């Protein structure tokens, strides 16, 4: 790219340093809600409809949040739960190693691939979190014995 005239600093800035103010506030709210489960192997965050209003953010401004969670040391599975306007709970799932989050997403009618998947779970939010964490725990038993 450099040989063809690409300006790497400018490209980097337009890709990685181009988050809106509202998306940055939303990221902060997500990080403030971060919790761990399954002996620290799972990290998750929750965004409520109120969080979106507080941040002045749109539903599509969650890009990259779940990847921040996956970057936490010891995390094999990262989950972002967000309360949608229709009352459903959208779940973004990311993993590393042998952890297959697609199996978790499929259990709720979603899909994707082994390391990045998504699904929608019926609310309320607390119930959806508990259901998905239980399924991750169930699948984790297989990941450990199958690895």
């Amino acid at each position: 790219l450099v040989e063809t005239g690409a300006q790497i600093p400018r490209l980097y800035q337009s890709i990685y340093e181009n988050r809106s103010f509202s998306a940055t506030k939303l990221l902060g709210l997500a990080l403030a809600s971060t919790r761990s489960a399954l002996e620290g192997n799972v990290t998750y965050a929750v965004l409520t409809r109120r969080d979106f209003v507080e941040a002045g953010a749109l539903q599509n401004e969650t890009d990259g949040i779940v990847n921040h969670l996956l970057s936490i040391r010891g995390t094999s599975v990262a989950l972002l739960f967000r309360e949608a306007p229709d009352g459903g709970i959208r779940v973004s799932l990311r993993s590393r190693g042998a952890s297959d989050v697609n199996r978790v997403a499929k259990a709720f009618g979603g899909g994707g691939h082994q390391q990045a998947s998504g699904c929608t779970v019926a609310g309320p939010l607390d119930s959806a979190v508990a259901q998905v964490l239980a399924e991750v725990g169930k699948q984790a038993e297989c990941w450990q014995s199958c690895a």
Side-chain angles (χ1 to χ4, degrees):
L1 288 174
V2 173
E3 290 175 8
T4 63
Q7 298 174 353
I8 300 302
R10 188 172 179 189
L11 285 172
Y12 181 88
Q13 183 178 22
S14 69
I15 294 170
Y16 297 109
E17 296 175 343
N18 198 20
R19 183 181 291 272
S20 70
F21 184 78
S22 56
T24 302
K25 285 186 72 169
L26 195 63
L27 171 62
L29 292 169
L31 293 176
S33 77
T34 300
R35 303 286 181 267
S36 68
L38 297 174
E39 300 175 4
N41 292 308
V42 176
T43 300
Y44 67 96
V46 174
L47 289 170
T48 65
R49 285 190 298 250
R50 175 182 270 168
D51 292 329
F52 283 90
V53 171
E54 182 179 333
L58 302 173
Q59 288 286 320
N60 66 357
E61 291 187 281
T62 59
D63 288 349
I65 293 175
V66 71
N67 296 324
H68 279 278
L69 304 175
L70 190 59
S71 73
I72 296 171
R73 186 178 344 168
T75 299
S76 298
V77 173
L79 309 167
L80 176 64
F81 296 87
R82 62 183 169 95
E83 200 173 26
D86 65 6
I89 310 303
R90 308 269 197 279
V91 187
S92 297
L93 305 96
R94 298 292 183 275
S95 69
R96 66 178 74 176
S99 302
D100 185 352
V101 292
N102 190 36
R103 294 178 71 163
V104 176
K106 282 184 176 180
F108 297 98
H113 58 85
Q114 179 174 334
Q115 296 189 318
S117 293
C119 61
T120 301
V121 180
L125 186 56
D126 291 344
S127 174
V129 170
Q131 289 176 58
V132 174
L133 288 175
E135 184 64 27
V136 170
K138 180 177 153 186
Q139 294 295 334
E141 292 176 16
C142 175
W143 300 331
Q144 293 168 358
S145 64
C146 300

